Every structure is written in structure tokens, then in C-alpha cells.
Amino acid sequence: MSDFFNTLKEQTKQEQNYLLAAPIIQRVFKGEASLEEYASFLVQAYHHVKHTVPLMMSVGARLTDEQEWLREAVAEYIEEEIGHQEWVLNDIAACGFDKETVRCSQPQFATEMMVSYAYDSIARKNPLSFFGMVHVLEGTSIALADGAASNIANAVGLPKKAFSYLTSHGALDIEHVKFFENLMNQITDEADQQAILHGAKRFYRLYGDIFRGLDDEPLFKASAQGKLA
């Protein structure tokens, strides 16, 4: 078994720092995030989370017979991820916003680009590049989720039910990350490793741009709660 997971972490630190330096993330760390900013984050989360299962299905369909063990792991991921976009919508409703308006809305540019890149890299390059996205989203969630939820709750006074998506990816999800670590350490083909590493670097930048886009294109306005800006 390889130690590819640690290689993946070490060789993507620069890109991870780009994501963590996003102004809105810094405000969350300081307990300064607003209700509208949190709701805007959830809207973009909805627009990429709803693609998780279709993306994983696409990965599974492109694996070879020799990668059947990996297809089984993807199937397990699919079973765990089904319906999570509804959790996000319920959190939006718990914040006092109209989740059906969000369901019918369009993603911001950065979100659409990240989702598009995920589909493209699976279809045009190596389907295992998608695991770079898994590494970024799950790793970021573990690093931020619990602290972000408590800081936002303290800042804007939201109930626990407004944080089901964030808290589900926090400390309780560490076992899930361990599963991913073991999976990555079974990837021994150099081309596959490079595809995952390249994907992770790109997805850190793309995900970081989503957070930066929340400042550039605020989706909710404080004076119009429940309506898209």
C-alpha cells in the first residue's frame, strides 16, 4: 500500500492556502459572517452538491474491470451522498429563506465552472481526477465545519437545524475521511495518482473562487430576506 494520501496533502498546501485565504472564510473564523453570507454559501453548496451523485455515477461507469474494487467504493460513496442537496435546502429554509426559490436559481459563475470542470475531467481525462474534488470538499469541510457552524450560530443566532449540512461534514465525518485516506493509499498507478493530484490542485482554486464570488456577487440582500438579489 502506498502513502499517496499524505503526498496529496503535502503537494496541495499552496492551493489549500489560496482557498483558506478567501475573505469570507477569514470572517467566519473571526465570528463576523452575516446571515446573508451564510445563506449565500448554502445556495452555492446546493448547486454543486446536487451534482455529487451524478458525477460519481459517471466515474463508476468509466472504470475498467481491473478497477472493480474502486467501483465498489464509488457505489458506497453514492449510497452515502444521495439526497444531501435536500439537507442544504432545509438549512436555507431554517435560515428564513425560500428554498424553492433557491432550487430554481442558477449557480454563480465560479460554481458552474467547478462543476463543469468536474464533468469534463472525468469524461475527457481520467475519471479518477474526481477524487481530487472529493479530497478538497471533504478535507475543507472537516477543517472548517464545526468551527464555522458555531461561529456563525453565535454571530447570527441561528438554531442547530440550520447547520445540518455543515455539521454532517464536521468531526463526526472523520471516519469518512479515513475511508478516503485508505482508498487513496490503494492507488498505486502513477498516472492515476498524478490525475488525482492535478485535480485536487485545480479544485482548491475553483472552490476558493466560489468563496471569493460570495463577496463579488452577493446573492441575498439584508433588506430583502428570503429573496434572491
Side-chain angles (χ1 to χ4, degrees), residues 15 22 31 35 40 55 57 88 96 116 135 139 184-185 196 198-199 224-225:
E15 289 78 12
L35 172 64
S40 293
L55 283 165
M57 288 179 170
V88 182
S116 297
H135 174 67
M184 289 300 95
N185 286 340
I196 296 168
H198 179 80
Q225 187 179 23

Side-chain angles (χ1 to χ4, degrees), residues 50-180:
K50 70 179 182 179
H51 290 281
T52 301
V53 169
L55 283 165
M56 288 180 174
M57 288 179 170
S58 183
V59 171
R62 286 171 170 79
L63 296 176
T64 66
D65 290 345
E66 290 72 23
Q67 294 171 311
E68 184 63 29
W69 64 274
L70 192 54
R71 196 181 346 257
E72 292 177 3
V74 171
E76 186 172 336
Y77 266 119
I78 290 172
E79 185 176 359
E80 292 182 0
E81 295 295 327
I82 286 177
H84 282 198
Q85 70 274 15
E86 296 298 324
W87 296 5
V88 182
L89 289 176
N90 290 338
D91 287 350
I92 290 170
C95 289
F97 296 89
D98 182 4
K99 70 177 184 180
E100 296 307 321
T101 300
V102 172
R103 193 192 300 274
C104 298
S105 69
Q106 293 296 317
Q108 291 181 346
F109 179 79
T111 310
E112 188 169 351
M113 289 303 98
M114 186 177 78
V115 171
S116 297
Y117 180 77
Y119 280 109
D120 178 72
S121 59
I122 291 169
R124 183 173 57 86
K125 292 185 176 182
N126 185 327
L128 270 64
S129 63
F130 175 72
F131 287 110
M133 185 179 187
V134 175
H135 174 67
V136 169
L137 296 182
E138 290 199 346
T140 301
S141 295
I142 289 293
L144 301 179
D146 290 335
S150 61
N151 284 349
I152 294 168
N154 291 336
V156 300
L158 288 171
K160 285 185 177 180
K161 66 179 182 178
F163 298 97
S164 64
Y165 172 68
L166 271 184
T167 54
S168 71
H169 291 79
L172 295 177
D173 203 37
I174 290 177
E175 185 177 336
H176 200 182
V177 173
K178 189 65 179 178
F179 175 80
F180 178 75

Side-chain angles (χ1 to χ4, degrees), residues 3 8-9 22 33-34 37 54 75 92 96 106 118 194 217:
D3 193 24
L8 186 59
K9 290 198 299 182
S34 70
E37 286 175 328
I92 290 170
Q106 293 296 317
Q194 288 304 310
E217 306 174 63

Side-chain angles (χ1 to χ4, degrees), residues 6-21:
N6 282 328
T7 300
L8 186 59
K9 290 198 299 182
E10 289 298 319
Q11 295 191 15
T12 57
K13 282 186 175 180
Q14 181 177 346
E15 289 78 12
Q16 183 186 45
N17 288 337
Y18 172 81
L19 185 154
L20 296 177

